[in-house]
């Protein structure tokens, strides 16, 4: 049985826990700022670049909770609502991250942001191929199962289940069609180019220092 001294040594010091909390809050704030900038067309084009994509992927991978997952996916959603953003995000690391966050997310707002970001990416030829992969389909099913069972945030009691389920179903349908297209036409086939989803609302109420 481990000694009390060893247990104390293994426990994270309070300052480290506070630093981790601040880092998590900072990730959410940064992602929300990026999402806000991308709310307009000029901002969406500006944010559709490799540096921003890499930063969002890094923050998403480090996310410990749904605040960051929602914020990161929301940034992918807003930027990916335009053609430049959709093409910028039609890459393995972005789609794999969204699928991973979808498996971990519990909050309905995060489910909607992740699902809509995937829908936008699937509107490109290469994105439709990526979004038709089993990992994406499994993540969408996992999110849909939470909505159906009322797990996580009891969204049914708040009346949000319908809109959340609709969004997830749309993403699942898009990904399913993409999977079928990829099987019959290969990686170069897939969805016909269409307009992306409307951008999500701006997050004006960011914490002030």
């Amino acid at each position: 049985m481990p000694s009390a001294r060893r247990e104390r040594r293994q426990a994270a010091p309070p300052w480290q826990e506070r630093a981790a909390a601040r880092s998590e809050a900072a990730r959410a704030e940064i992602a929300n700022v990026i999402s806000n900038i991308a709310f307009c067309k000029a901002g969406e084009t500006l944010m559709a670049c490799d540096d921003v994509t890499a930063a969002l992927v890094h923050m998403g991978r480090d996310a410990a909770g749904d605040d960051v997952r929602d914020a990161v996916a929301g940034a992918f959603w807003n930027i990916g609502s335009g053609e430049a953003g959709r093409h910028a995000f039609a890459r393995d690391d972005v789609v794999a991250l969204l699928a991973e966050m979808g498996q971990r997310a519990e909050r309905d707002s995060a489910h909607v942001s992740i699902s809509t970001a995937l829908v936008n990416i699937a509107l490109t030829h290469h994105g439709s191929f990526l979004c038709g992969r089993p990992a994406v389909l499994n993540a969408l099913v996992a999110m849909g199962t939470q909505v159906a069972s009322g797990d996580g945030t009891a969204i049914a009691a708040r009346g949000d289940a319908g809109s959340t389920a609709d969004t997830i179903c749309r993403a699942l349908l898009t990904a399913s069609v993409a999977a079928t297209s990829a099987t019959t036409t290969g990686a170069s086939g897939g969805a016909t180019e269409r307009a992306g989803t409307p951008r999500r609302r701006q997050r004006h109420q960011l914490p002030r220092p």
Side-chain angles (χ1 to χ4, degrees):
M1 184 174 180
S3 64
R5 178 178 298 178
R6 180 175 299 178
E7 288 179 356
R8 284 196 299 271
R9 192 164 55 242
Q10 290 175 345
W15 66 265
Q16 191 174 31
E17 293 178 358
R18 289 195 296 271
R22 286 197 297 270
S23 297
E24 185 78 353
R27 290 197 259 308
E29 288 181 35
I30 292 168
N32 278 325
V33 168
I34 292 173
S35 182
N36 283 352
I37 294 172
F39 189 76
C40 66
K41 181 64 178 178
E44 171 256 305
T45 303
L46 184 65
M47 294 292 103
C49 63
D50 289 341
D51 288 342
V52 172
T53 304
L56 289 171
V57 169
H58 182 75
M59 289 188 290
R61 285 174 177 164
D62 288 344
D66 279 355
D67 284 344
V68 177
R69 295 185 189 107
D70 186 19
V72 168
F76 282 128
W77 171 357
N78 273 359
I79 301 170
S81 296
E83 184 177 354
R86 293 198 296 278
H87 284 281
F89 297 152
R91 40 191 274 184
D92 286 302
D93 56 347
V94 173
V95 174
L97 171 68
L98 289 168
E100 180 184 350
M101 292 198 301
Q103 290 281 9
R104 295 175 180 271
E106 297 180 349
R107 188 184 303 164
D108 58 320
S109 60
H111 293 158
V112 169
S113 295
I114 293 166
S115 300
T116 310
L118 287 168
V119 167
N120 284 337
I121 294 171
L123 295 178
T124 68
H125 289 306
H126 186 57
S128 68
F129 171 72
L130 296 175
C131 291
R133 291 177 172 174
V136 175
L137 296 173
N138 291 339
L140 291 169
V141 169
M143 289 188 287
T145 301
Q146 286 197 45
V147 174
S149 64
D151 289 344
T153 56
I155 56 178
R158 296 208 312 270
D160 298 333
S163 59
T164 304
D166 289 345
T167 304
I168 294 172
C169 285
R170 179 185 177 191
L172 187 56
L173 177 61
T174 303
S176 299
V177 171
T180 303
S181 300
T183 301
T184 56
T185 63
S188 61
T192 302
E193 290 290 339
R194 299 187 299 278
T197 62
R199 290 174 181 81
R200 78 170 186 172
R201 66 179 177 83
Q202 284 183 284
R203 300 295 178 91
H204 292 292
Q205 297 179 351
L206 296 174
R208 293 188 176 184

